[in-house]
Amino acid sequence: MSTNLERYQDRVERYADRHPFVIDAGYVLALMGCAALGVTLTLPGASPPDHDRSVTCLMGLACLALLKHRTHPRATVVVNAVCVVAAVGMGYLITPLLLAPVMAALYWLATESDRRTNRLFGGITTLGVIIAAAISDSMDHLSLLLKTMGPLFWLMLPLAAGTMTRMRRAYLQAVQARAEHAERTREEEARLRVTEERVRIARELHDVVAHHLALANAQAGTAAHLAATRPEQARKILDDLAGTTSSALRELKATVGLLREPDDPDAASLEPSPGLARLPELVSSCESAGLKVTVTTEGAARPLSPGVDLTAYRIVQEALTNATKHASARAAHIHLAYSTTRLAITVTDDGTAPAAPAAPSDEAVRGFGLMGMRERAQSVGGNLCAGHRPEGGFEVSTALPLHPLTPQPAEAPTP
């Protein structure tokens, strides 16, 4: 029942917003009829006062003032209160029909004004009507309590109803605002996730393409140089080149497969993410391109989480790619140092450094390589430093936090 009533009330409010003057004119005509009927009512055995023309003008003025309740609600209440007090002072009986215009004015005031304004104007209006009722001759045979309780109840009723309507509107506006805020937040979060995913995929593609293409270029150049003098060695390098390109295609296929839907039948089965376990394979591919790589380990190797393991591998891969592609290095050294909380990785090479190295030139020379390595290190809570060494060559060092894998509970032995 209440749901249907609220639905009809919402429809009336929406129509009133579109056609306010039509609604107000209908209300005024209805209230004029109520007031005209109210001035004719008297107590049994009593004759109505002989002020028909005066009270008709007063009540007509009160009802016409209601047309301004949207723009001047306080003035509308004052005009209606004065007219009703004057009518009661003339000896007319206080009834809900006579009070209908001022009740409507108080209701609209309560829907648009704050609590303090409602109390001020409602209290003054109620007090004026009660005083007029107490001194009126129309209810001399009634007690003072009966004279005051009726006006008090009928004038407090529209104030309470208007306050409830105002609170309901405020609640609906708050709900709508929260819904709009939640929608904007979801959209912003979705855009942020899309941006982060694009950056991650771009970084993966850069690492895969830059590394394998640099190795393939170096292997092809070395094979072309040795083709005439050392054909056997050139053939071996070409075999390694085929393996490099095959590995590049596999990683590209796995990376692009992340963009497909999981239930896509054309999606390729994804390989496990590379980690430091594939470091010997990486060293071998670099050596086939003419870069001699040595690896030293300090401390006991500890298990790494997949994110840290992939980050460590990609940083080493990018550092060796830069040594092969940009520094024209012939040898590189990888140092892994395990501690209780962190894994420190240092990659150095013996490449030639420019005469006046600077941080901006490093970024310009290596493009997104150093930026990607720093982003990877920061994404897992680590840091990365890169720069030219005073004795020559380039050094990349990073410290990554160790996140041990969560031990899985042992399975119960099968009987």
Side-chain angles (χ1 to χ4, degrees), residues 31 62 65-66 68-70 72-82 84-85 96 98-130 150-166 169:
L31 292 172
L66 293 174
K68 295 294 184 181
H69 76 89
R70 297 181 184 274
H72 302 84
R74 297 174 180 83
T76 301
V77 171
V78 172
V79 172
N80 275 267
V82 171
V84 169
V85 169
L98 183 67
L99 297 177
V102 72
M103 290 172 63
L106 290 174
Y107 172 80
W108 284 321
L109 175 71
T111 59
E112 302 295 339
S113 303
D114 55 13
R115 183 179 301 177
R116 181 179 179 182
T117 302
N118 296 337
R119 290 178 177 177
L120 176 62
F121 284 85
I124 293 177
T125 301
T126 304
L127 182 61
V129 174
I130 290 176
L152 179 63
F153 172 77
W154 291 114
L155 294 179
M156 289 295 103
L157 184 61
L159 289 174
T163 302
M164 293 180 61
T165 301
R166 176 171 53 84
R169 289 177 181 176

Side-chain angles (χ1 to χ4, degrees), residues 26-43:
Y27 285 150
V28 168
L29 292 176
L31 292 172
M32 281 185 176
C34 293
L37 181 60
V39 297
T40 62
L41 299 178
T42 59
L43 291 174

Side-chain angles (χ1 to χ4, degrees), residues 342 376-383 399-401 403:
R342 305 181 78 82
R376 284 187 178 277
Q378 293 172 0
S379 67
V380 295
N383 56 73
L400 306 177
H403 297 298

Side-chain angles (χ1 to χ4, degrees), residues 130-181:
I130 290 176
I131 293 176
I135 63 178
S136 175
D137 297 336
S138 61
M139 296 183 292
D140 287 339
H141 60 287
L142 297 178
S143 65
L144 181 63
L145 181 62
L146 294 177
K147 290 182 180 181
T148 57
M149 289 302 296
L152 179 63
F153 172 77
W154 291 114
L155 294 179
M156 289 295 103
L157 184 61
L159 289 174
T163 302
M164 293 180 61
T165 301
R166 176 171 53 84
M167 294 176 62
R168 178 176 174 272
R169 289 177 181 176
Y171 171 76
L172 293 178
Q173 291 175 358
V175 170
Q176 184 178 2
R178 286 197 299 268
E180 293 176 354
H181 176 72

Side-chain angles (χ1 to χ4, degrees), residues 271-347:
E271 297 180 354
S273 299
L276 292 182
R278 293 179 56 179
L279 192 57
E281 179 183 344
L282 179 63
V283 170
S284 176
S285 63
C286 291
E287 289 179 347
S288 66
L291 179 66
K292 184 179 181 181
V293 182
T294 57
V295 181
T296 58
T297 302
E298 177 183 347
R302 302 183 59 181
L304 306 176
S305 66
V308 175
D309 202 12
L310 175 61
T311 299
Y313 178 83
R314 291 303 190 194
I315 289 176
V316 173
Q317 183 187 53
E318 181 63 24
L320 295 179
T321 300
N322 289 339
T324 304
K325 185 177 179 181
H326 301 293
S328 301
R330 295 185 177 180
H333 179 69
I334 304 172
H335 180 70
L336 307 177
Y338 290 89
S339 65
T340 56
T341 59
R342 305 181 78 82
L343 167 63
I345 303 175
T346 305
V347 182

Side-chain angles (χ1 to χ4, degrees), residues 189-204:
E189 184 178 357
R191 286 195 296 268
L192 180 61
R193 289 183 178 180
V194 169
T195 302
E196 292 177 350
E197 187 65 14
R198 290 176 60 186
V199 171
R200 188 185 69 82
I201 294 175
R203 189 165 55 231
E204 287 288 337

Side-chain angles (χ1 to χ4, degrees), residues 356-392:
S361 65
D362 294 340
E363 295 287 350
V365 171
R366 285 163 176 79
F368 294 100
L370 291 180
M371 184 187 303
M373 286 192 288
R374 287 196 178 98
E375 290 176 353
R376 284 187 178 277
Q378 293 172 0
S379 67
V380 295
N383 56 73
L384 183 137
C385 298
H388 295 280
R389 299 189 300 168
E391 62 273 19

